[in-house]
Amino acid sequence: MTKVTMSVNGTERSGEVEGRTLLSAFLRDTLGLTGTHVGCDTGQCGACTVHVDGKSVKSCNMFALEADGASVTTIEGMANDDGSLGVIQQAFQDHHGLQCGFCTPGMVMAAAALLKENPKPSEAEVRAWLSGNLCRCTGYHNIVKAILAASGQDVSKEFAA
Amino acid sequence: MPADGSIGAPDKRREDVRFLTGKGRYTDDINVNGQLYVHFLRSPVAHGRLNGVDTEAARAMPGVVRVFTGDDFADVGGLPCGWQVTDRHGDPMQEPAHPVLARGKVRHVGDPIAAVVAETLNQARDAAETIEVDIEELPAVIDMKAALADDAPKVHDDLKNNLCFDWGFVEENKAAVEEAFQKAAHVTTLELVNQRLVANPMEPRVAIGDYAAHSDESTLYTTSQNPHVIRLLMGAFVLGIPEHKLRVISPDVGGGFGSKIFHYAEEAFCTFAAKQLRRPVKWTSSRSEAFITDCHGRDHVTTIQLALDAENNFTALRTDTHANMGAYLSTFAPSVPTWLHGVLMAGNYKTPLIYVNVKAVFTNTVPVDAYRGAGRPEATYQLERVIDKAARELGVDPIALRRQNFITQFPYATPVAVEYDTGDYVATMDKLEEIADLSGFEKRLAESKARGKLRGLGVNCYIEACGIAPSNLVGQLGARAGLYESATVRVNATGGLVVMTGSHSHGQGHETAFPQVVAGMIGIDPSMVEIVHGDTANTPMGMGTYGSRSLAVGGSAMVRATEKIIAKAKKIAAHLLEASDGDIELKDGQFTVAGTDKSVAWGDVTLAAYVPHNYPLEDLEPGLEETAFYDPANFTYPAGAYACEVEVDPETGKVTIERFSAADDFGNIINPMIVDGQVHGGIGQGIGQALLEGAVYDENGQLLNGSYMDYTMPRADDVPFYAVDHSCQTPCTHNPLGVKGCGEAGAIGSPPSVVNAVVDALVRAGHDITHIDMPLTPSRVWSAMQG
C-alpha cells in the first residue's frame, strides 16, 4: 500500500492505495465521494468523468497514484458556494436533462469541460463532445438542449431536425 | 397550461437536485459495516458437463472467508419462473430447474460455477483465479431452428427436447385464417429477425445481503424495479424466508428497462451467504459481467403474412415466430412472446382474422426476458414492416393503406382477445403528418439528392397494451402473481402527506409526478407531499414498475387512497363546521359548507384528526391514514404514429437519422415534461435497435460483443432532436386518472419507421430491395445495395 495525496474539490485528501487502485475507486471507496459512478470496465461510458488539473478525465482509466499531487474536481464540487446548483446543473434540471441520474455526474463534468474550451458550441459540437458519455434514458435530446442552454444560447424554439 | 404543481403542469423534478450534486444513493453507494465481497467464477463455455470444482487453493488465499459451489445450494430452491404458458395442445410449458449456482452442467457463458467471498474484492478476484474447474465441453445449441432438430444436443437433459412450448393463438381461428388466405386477392409475406438486444441500464446490478441473527431477519439491498416481487420470489421459492423476516430495499436505481424486474441468482446468493457467514456480503456487477448475466431482450425470428382483398382491406394475418428463451426460464420470459406479443397483432387495424404461432426455444445463451416494450415491439415491427411491404407490392401509398384499415369505432374487440377502450388513430396520423412536415418531404429529398445522398421516408403506427394488468385475467393466462398496485397515504397532523407506493422509480420521476396527482386532488402545494418507495418495510405490498404501469395502476391506487382520505377529512370538517358531510366541498385546500362562506382549512382538519379534542370520536377513529389496492379492469392502449427520415450514403451505406417525429396518444397527461423525456428515451433505444445494436453469438456460444468496446450503444451523435407531440388525448375509460402510460411507446414505435425509411431510400434510388434485417449497419446496407 502506498500513500496518495491530492486536492479534491479544494480540500487536501489522502489515503493508502494499492498500485492497481483506480482513481474512481479511490474517490468512491476511500473518500466516500460516491457521486462519481462506474458504469463500465472499458472506459466507454463516461459516468466516472472528473476533472484532473482542469482536464476532463475518465477516472476509471487512471490509477489513483497517477493523480498524486493533482487537483481533482468531482460532481460534489460543482455546486455554487452557497450550495445552489451551478449553471450547468441548473440547466440540466430546467430542461429535464436527466432521468435515472446515473450518467448525470459524468455528463455534467463533460459539459463543464466542453464549455470551458468552447463557450458557445453548436449542436453538432455538443453531440460530438458527448460521444464519450453514454446515457440510456434520455435519447440525449434534453442533455444536448441543457448544455446549449447552459452556454447561454436560446433553446426555446422547437427543434426541427 | 395548468398552474405549477397541478395535474398537467411541467413541474421540474425534485429528485434532480440530489442526482446533480452527487448525492444520489444507489445500491453500490451503500456499504454495510463488516461487509465481505463476493466474486463469481463463471462458465467460460456455453455448454458443458461439470465434473469437478477444486476450490482448495482458493480457500487458502489471503482474506478468503468461504468458497461456495453448487453443492452448497443442494437444499435451496431454484430461481422460479413467474409465468406458465399452456401450449396449443393444452400441455404446460417445459420448465427446467434453474439453480443458484450451477450443478451438473453449465448452460451458457456466464453461468455461475463458484462464488468466492473475501474481505476485499481484489482478494476475492485473486482467489477465484486459482479455482480449477473440470468442464467436459459439450456441443452448444445457439441457432433456434437447429435447436429443434431431432438430434440436437439438449440444453436440459431431463426435458424432452429444447422446445419450451408451441403456442397457438387464437387456436380456434386457425382454420378460418387459412381459408381467408386462400380467398385473398393478395398475400404479402415477410421473413424477419428481431435481433437480440442487451438492455444496458447505465447502472450495473448490485446486491448486498445482510443478516441480523438476534432477530433472524434478512435484508437485501438490490437494484430492482420491484422489491416486493423479489421478496416474494426469493423468500417463498428460493430461500424459504417468510416475508416478515425478509426486507428488500431498492434505493435509487440507475435505469432498468425491464432487465431489473427479474429475480437473479446473485440476489439469492448474497442473502443466503450473509446468513451462513453472519456477515454482510456485497456483489457489484462489472459491465462485462452484466453482458453475460443480465437478461437479454427480443431475439425473435418471424415469418409474417398479410392477406388483402381486391380493395386492399386487410382480411387476415398469420405469423410464425421462434422466440429464444436462452438457457433458463427467467422470471417473466414465457409471457413476452405470448401474452405481451400475440394479443397486440391486430395493431391499429381492423383485420378480422389473426393466428399467431410461437415456438419458444431453449439455447445455450443468456436467458431472454422483457426489455422495454417486451413483446409489443416485436409485434409492432413485423406488422408495420409487412404493411409497408404490401403497400409497395400493391403500388399504393403506405399511409393511405394504413388509414384505410384503421380501427375507428371504440370500444373495439380484436380477434386476439383484447378490447381497446379508446383511441383515435386518424387524429394521431393527422398530427404526425403535421409535425413531421410530410408535405415538405419532396423538397428535402431534392436537397439530399443534390448533396449526393439517398433520402427515404418511413412511417408506422403502433399500439401497446400497458397498465399491466388485470389480475384475474393474467391469472387465467398463466401469471403466478397478481398485478395490482397499492398505496398508503399518511397525512400528518400539520397537513403534510407521505405517500407510500409499491411502484418504483428508476428514472421516471415519480417523486415529482405523483405529488402532482395527490396534491392536485386536495388543492395543496405538491411540496407538501413526499413519496416513499423502494423498501418493503416502509411500503404496502406492490408489484413494481414495468409495462408502463406506474401511473395507470400505481397512480390509480394513490387516487383511491386519497379519495378515502378526503372522505374522512370531510367528515371531520363537517363536525368542525357543524354541518352534514354531504354538504362539504373541498377546493384549494379549503373545506367549505356548500352555498355558505363557512370554511375550515386543510391543516385545521388534519390537526383535529390527530389532536381530537373537538372530534366525533363516537363515530370516527382519530388519525388520517388510508391504504388502497387498485386492480385494473383492463389494459390501457396507448397508440400513435411515428415518422422517420433518413439519409443513406451511397458510397458507404451509412444511415443518418435526419428527422424523427412521434405523435402519441397517452390519454391524460400529469407532467408533460416527463412524458416528453420518456418518449425521447424510448426513441433513442429504438434507433439503437434499428441501426446499431445486436448481441452476436458465435456457433460455440461465445458472446462476441460483450462490452461497450463492441456492443454499439447509441451515442449523442447518432441521433437527432426529436419532434414529439402528445396533444391527441383519448382518456382511458377505466382508470380514475384517464391515463394510459408512456414509458415504452418510443421503443415500440420507432424501429419500424427507421427500417421503412431506409428501404424507401434504397428503392427510390432504384435498388430492388424489400427488406434488410436490423441493425442496419453500413455494411448491411452497403451489401444490400450491391444486390
Side-chain angles (χ1 to χ4, degrees):
Chain A
M1 300 288 267
T2 310
K3 188 179 179 189
V4 62
T5 303
M6 63 189 80
S7 164
V8 180
N9 302 326
T11 304
E12 188 174 295
R13 306 289 299 267
S14 55
E16 299 282 327
V17 297
E18 289 184 71
R20 60 181 165 178
T21 303
L22 301 172
L23 178 59
S24 53
F26 177 71
L27 293 170
R28 288 181 56 80
D29 302 337
T30 307
L31 303 186
L33 294 170
T34 54
T36 298
H37 295 156
V38 178
C40 75
D41 45 15
T42 51
Q44 315 285 305
C45 83
C48 66
T49 304
V50 300
H51 296 174
V52 177
D53 292 333
K55 296 264 189 213
S56 159
V57 165
K58 291 179 177 177
S59 61
C60 75
N61 267 3
M62 186 172 183
F63 292 116
L65 288 171
E66 291 179 280
D68 193 38
S71 174
V72 176
T73 306
T74 70
I75 188 68
E76 287 91 345
M78 293 299 283
N80 296 324
D81 290 343
D82 65 357
S84 61
L85 295 180
V87 171
I88 295 169
Q89 293 167 313
Q90 188 62 57
F92 269 68
Q93 186 187 31
D94 290 346
H95 298 282
H96 190 27
L98 64 152
Q99 291 182 27
C100 82
F102 196 82
C103 77
T104 307
M107 287 288 178
V108 170
M109 300 311 289
L114 167 64
L115 297 186
K116 193 172 160 193
E117 193 166 297
N118 181 356
K120 291 273 186 251
S122 66
E123 180 200 334
E125 287 171 333
V126 173
R127 290 186 184 277
W129 185 273
L130 291 184
S131 64
N133 291 74
L134 295 176
C135 170
R136 196 58 154 168
C137 292
T138 64
Y140 301 101
H141 184 112
N142 284 338
I143 293 176
V144 176
K145 197 171 169 183
I147 295 171
L148 290 171
S151 75
Q153 302 184 67
D154 181 12
V155 293
S156 60
K157 291 188 207 76
E158 269 304 306
F159 286 98
Chain B
M1 183 75 69
D4 285 355
S6 58
I7 290 172
D11 283 14
K12 289 176 197 171
R13 299 201 326 169
R14 54 175 77 174
E15 46 270 78
D16 288 357
V17 176
R18 71 174 184 274
F19 294 141
L20 282 162
T21 52
K23 302 295 185 212
R25 186 170 176 263
Y26 299 87
T27 309
D28 194 45
D29 301 339
I30 295 170
N31 293 295
V32 186
N33 278 338
Q35 80 190 7
L36 300 166
Y37 297 82
V38 59
H39 178 78
F40 291 94
L41 179 69
R42 299 182 181 279
S43 176
V45 302
H47 194 194
R49 202 162 303 286
L50 201 50
N51 290 328
V53 184
D54 183 352
T55 63
E56 191 179 341
R59 281 184 275 129
M61 290 283 284
V64 172
V65 174
R66 177 102 177 253
V67 182
F68 292 83
T69 65
D71 288 345
D72 293 297
F73 287 80
D75 298 327
V76 169
L79 302 175
C81 179
W83 200 297
Q84 184 185 67
V85 164
T86 302
D87 81 3
R88 48 192 288 253
H89 309 293
D91 299 322
M93 66 187 189
Q94 294 203 83
E95 192 170 353
H98 187 178
V100 174
L101 295 179
R103 295 187 80 201
K105 270 174 77 168
V106 288
R107 296 185 177 86
H108 67 87
V109 171
D111 215 357
I113 294 170
V116 182
V117 180
E119 297 289 344
T120 73
L121 181 56
N122 281 338
Q123 287 171 335
R125 284 174 176 158
D126 291 344
E129 289 192 7
T130 70
I131 295 175
E132 290 191 25
V133 183
D134 178 2
I135 298 180
E136 175 192 346
E137 194 168 350
L138 299 169
V141 285
I142 306 303
D143 178 77
M144 285 191 278
K145 287 177 184 170
L148 295 181
D150 289 341
D151 58 350
K154 288 201 287 186
V155 177
H156 296 276
D157 298 346
D158 54 336
L159 301 186
K160 285 181 294 187
N161 49 34
N162 293 320
L163 180 65
C164 178
F165 57 78
D166 177 5
W167 185 74
F169 184 67
V170 174
E171 198 62 25
E172 295 74 38
N173 290 352
K174 195 177 179 189
V177 169
E178 298 295 330
E179 195 183 328
F181 269 89
Q182 282 166 13
K183 288 184 189 163
H186 184 84
V187 173
T188 296
T189 302
L190 182 60
E191 292 178 32
L192 48 80
V193 174
N194 202 303
Q195 82 272 31
R196 178 182 284 243
L197 300 177
V198 183
N200 274 313
M202 293 315 302
E203 179 205 30
R205 287 189 298 119
V206 181
I208 308 168
D210 193 12
Y211 178 72
H214 60 86
S215 58
D216 190 30
E217 284 177 295
S218 294
T219 300
L220 170 69
Y221 301 86
T222 183
T223 47
S224 176
Q225 300 176 218
N226 34 232
H228 293 89
V229 175
I230 303 305
R231 183 181 64 164
L232 179 67
L233 293 175
M234 187 175 78
F237 296 99
V238 187
L239 300 179
I241 308 173
E243 279 117 314
H244 67 292
K245 294 292 185 188
L246 177 58
R247 178 180 182 183
V248 179
I249 299 172
S250 299
D252 287 329
V253 172
F257 315 114
S259 70
K260 292 174 180 169
I261 297 172
F262 324 120
H263 177 38
Y264 286 99
E266 296 85 1
E267 295 171 320
F269 176 85
C270 290
T271 309
F272 177 82
K275 185 171 180 178
Q276 293 271 309
L277 301 172
R278 297 291 199 264
R279 286 180 68 181
V281 176
K282 181 174 186 174
W283 171 72
T284 300
S285 175
S286 69
R287 180 59 58 184
S288 302
E289 206 171 10
F291 270 96
I292 53 170
T293 63
D294 291 9
C295 284
H296 293 174
R298 316 281 193 262
D299 207 349
H300 286 195
V301 176
T302 294
T303 301
I304 181 167
Q305 292 188 296
L306 177 66
L308 302 95
D309 67 15
E311 284 77 47
N312 296 340
N313 298 308
F314 303 164
T315 56
L317 183 79
R318 66 182 167 203
T319 84
D320 183 357
T321 287
H322 286 73
N324 206 331
M325 295 286 101
Y328 302 98
L329 283 181
S330 173
T331 310
F332 290 116
S335 69
V336 175
T338 53
W339 301 107
L340 294 175
H341 169 250
V343 299
L344 273 301
M345 284 313 310
N348 310 55
Y349 312 101
K350 51 191 178 194
T351 314
L353 289 162
I354 297 174
Y355 180 73
V356 180
N357 180 235
V358 177
K359 293 181 180 69
V361 184
F362 294 113
T363 60
N364 292 112
T365 60
V366 169
V368 179
D369 205 325
Y371 165 58
R372 200 170 194 170
R376 291 151 289 173
E378 295 90 322
T380 302
Y381 181 65
Q382 53 180 292
L383 180 61
E384 294 294 328
R385 282 291 299 126
V386 81
I387 291 172
D388 237 54
K389 185 167 184 242
R392 221 166 272 291
E393 288 173 354
L394 294 164
V396 299
D397 175 55
I399 295 177
L401 182 61
R402 287 177 169 88
R403 283 181 179 275
Q404 175 185 342
N405 286 281
F406 273 160
I407 296 161
T408 53
Q409 302 290 319
F410 295 89
Y412 177 80
T414 72
V416 276
V418 290
E419 183 174 283
Y420 303 162
D421 57 345
T422 53
D424 188 342
Y425 309 145
V426 174
T428 46
M429 185 59 89
D430 288 347
K431 178 55 73 175
L432 178 74
E433 294 201 24
E434 175 196 327
I435 64 170
D437 183 29
L438 294 192
S439 60
F441 174 73
E442 293 295 333
K443 181 163 170 280
R444 296 189 292 274
L445 178 68
E447 289 165 0
S448 295
K449 201 169 177 182
R451 288 200 306 275
K453 298 291 170 63
L454 315 181
R455 195 174 187 105
L457 168 66
V459 169
N460 70 270
C461 299
Y462 77 90
I463 184 158
E464 49 172 331
C466 294
I468 294 172
S471 293
N472 54 1
L473 173 62
V474 296
Q476 290 169 28
L477 306 183
R480 289 164 168 164
L483 285 169
Y484 50 81
E485 197 47 82
S486 70
T488 295
V489 176
R490 176 178 297 158
V491 185
N492 296 313
T494 52
L497 288 81
V498 179
V499 178
M500 289 150 274
T501 171
S503 298
H504 187 278
S505 184
H506 29 279
Q508 296 88 342
H510 292 177
E511 291 166 53
T512 301
F514 288 168
Q516 289 180 249
V517 172
V518 174
M521 290 174 70
I522 300 169
I524 55 176
D525 192 276
S527 66
M528 292 175 69
V529 182
E530 203 65 34
I531 301 296
V532 175
H533 67 87
D535 183 345
T536 58
N538 295 336
T539 54
M541 179 64 185
M543 298 309 293
T545 289
Y546 43 82
S548 305
R549 70 192 301 273
S550 292
L551 191 59
V553 190
S556 295
M558 279 172 220
V559 170
R560 292 286 184 249
T562 307
E563 285 170 351
K564 292 184 190 180
I565 291 283
I566 291 172
K568 184 171 179 183
K570 281 184 175 176
K571 288 182 182 169
I572 302 169
H575 178 85
L576 296 173
L577 294 167
E578 297 175 338
S580 160
D581 60 298
D583 294 334
I584 302 294
E585 293 172 348
L586 172 61
K587 192 170 179 244
D588 297 334
Q590 201 74 19
F591 296 91
T592 307
V593 182
T596 75
D597 60 356
K598 287 173 66 180
S599 74
V600 60
W602 168 255
D604 293 326
V605 170
T606 62
L607 188 65
Y610 288 93
V611 187
H613 297 165
N614 176 17
Y615 194 89
L617 285 167
E618 58 283 5
D619 301 322
L620 209 58
E621 294 172 22
L624 203 49
E625 175 170 329
E626 299 287 351
T627 295
F629 280 65
Y630 179 83
D631 205 290
N634 190 354
F635 294 94
T636 63
Y637 300 95
Y642 285 19
C644 178
E645 282 182 36
V646 297
E647 272 190 356
V648 179
D649 185 328
E651 302 296 322
T652 64
K654 180 170 170 53
V655 176
T656 53
I657 309 280
E658 295 296 313
R659 299 170 68 88
F660 200 100
S661 309
D664 294 293
D665 174 3
F666 297 133
N668 293 335
I669 302 283
I670 304 300
N671 184 318
M673 178 194 80
I674 289 174
V675 170
D676 284 351
Q678 290 293 306
V679 177
H680 295 158
I683 294 170
Q685 291 183 4
I687 290 173
Q689 172 167 25
L691 295 186
L692 301 164
E693 297 179 44
V696 180
Y697 278 99
D698 73 7
E699 60 191 15
N700 299 315
Q702 295 293 334
L703 181 61
L704 297 179
N705 53 351
S707 83
Y708 286 158
M709 306 265 277
D710 310 296
Y711 185 95
T712 323
M713 291 277 280
R715 294 172 183 272
D717 53 359
D718 291 317
V719 295
F721 282 121
Y722 320 107
V724 303
D725 182 283
H726 34 73
S727 61
C728 298
Q729 297 179 359
T730 60
C732 171
T733 56
H734 57 80
N735 67 48
L737 290 165
V739 297
K740 295 185 171 183
C742 65
E744 298 162 293
I748 294 169
S750 53
S753 62
V754 178
V755 178
N756 288 347
V758 174
V759 171
D760 183 59
L762 300 193
V763 170
R764 284 175 191 275
H767 295 286
D768 181 20
I769 285 167
T770 55
H771 181 69
I772 308 173
D773 273 324
M774 301 185 290
L776 303 184
T777 58
S779 95
R780 283 193 180 177
V781 175
W782 185 86
S783 298
M785 286 192 288
Q786 310 314 305

